[in-house]
Amino acid sequence: MTDGELVTRLAEGDRVAFASLYDRYCRQAYSLAKRVCVDTQLAEDVVQEAFLTLWRDPGRYQEQRGSVSTWLLTVVHHRAVDAVRRENTQRKRSAAQAEQALVSEQEHPGADIAAIAGVLGEKVRDALHELTGEQREVVVLAYYGGYTQCEVSALTGVPLGTVKSRMFAAVRRLRTLLTGGNEQDRDLGEQR
């Protein structure tokens, strides 16, 4: 059967026609969604939404405007771009909230926050501002936002390996800043 015939049967509620279309295009759809989203779970959700769109309203496909595969992959692409935009907006909102919490701690500390601030001190906050923007973002999301490195990767759209590298570099830089550059002396002492 042609794709057009399958869509016609799908409009009549034929589940077998839907399964046939899914089998034909699920790999292409997932591949496209994965390229756009990077995150596998997000890509799977996008493909599911696109096929649900086809199932719920097969009349949205118009044969005179192109092939079923082109239409379906266009739906996948649009949904993937929307999903990435949503994730980026959420990531920016989370980072802004975490940064605001840091500023708020400095301006209006409660008893518990004052105790933590006493332990962390002004030196830590100053050291955080010495990091690059990317390093500060992963540290703030991880330590102040409470996210795991995998979650930071999903929120930022940055590969997990890059998040780990940025975290490692940030922690190393913070250690150097907080020890006054005496990290090498300390490391040598530990080796003896």
Side-chain angles (χ1 to χ4, degrees):
M1 265 190 212
T2 67
D3 290 347
E5 291 170 334
L6 289 172
V7 171
T8 302
R9 290 184 61 184
L10 178 59
E12 298 166 358
D14 187 340
R15 292 174 184 255
V16 174
F18 178 77
S20 296
L21 285 168
Y22 181 82
D23 289 342
R24 286 183 189 179
Y25 297 112
C26 69
R27 289 181 191 205
Q28 290 173 312
Y30 178 75
S31 178
L32 174 60
K34 179 83 162 89
R35 277 195 310 265
V36 174
C37 296
V38 179
D39 179 72
T40 55
Q41 182 62 46
L42 194 56
E44 289 170 3
D45 291 345
V46 163
V47 171
Q48 182 179 1
E49 287 177 22
F51 276 98
L52 276 173
T53 298
L54 176 62
W55 172 255
R56 289 179 181 151
D57 191 9
R60 289 179 73 181
Y61 165 68
Q62 298 173 0
E63 189 174 357
Q64 65 274 17
R65 296 184 72 188
S67 67
V68 172
S69 62
T70 301
W71 175 80
L72 184 60
L73 293 176
T74 300
V75 170
V76 168
H77 182 264
H78 287 292
R79 297 230 182 228
V81 169
D82 289 345
V84 169
R85 286 181 181 153
R86 269 193 316 271
E87 289 292 318
N88 284 338
T89 300
Q90 181 182 12
R91 174 185 56 82
K92 288 177 184 175
R93 189 176 301 126
S94 295
Q97 289 171 348
E99 290 262 357
Q100 183 59 38
L102 182 61
V103 169
S104 179
E105 285 177 14
Q106 293 172 349
E107 294 173 357
H108 308 289
D112 58 339
I113 302 299
I116 292 171
V119 172
L120 295 177
E122 190 68 31
K123 194 172 181 182
V124 172
R125 288 187 290 277
D126 290 342
L128 281 171
H129 292 290
E130 294 292 322
L131 300 176
T132 66
E134 290 99 1
Q135 290 172 343
R136 186 170 44 255
E137 179 182 38
V138 296
V139 168
V140 166
L141 286 172
Y143 290 101
Y144 289 98
Y147 294 103
T148 66
Q149 289 180 341
C150 289
E151 291 169 333
V152 171
S153 173
L155 286 170
T156 60
V158 174
L160 179 59
T162 304
V163 168
K164 288 181 178 189
S165 297
R166 287 178 183 172
M167 186 70 74
F168 178 79
V171 169
R172 189 170 191 183
R173 177 79 173 129
L174 285 172
R175 186 180 301 135
T176 300
L177 291 168
L178 294 172
T179 60
N182 294 326
E183 181 180 323
Q184 290 178 345
D185 295 338
R186 192 195 60 174
D187 289 344
L188 287 175
E190 289 176 1
Q191 291 175 358
R192 292 183 193 156

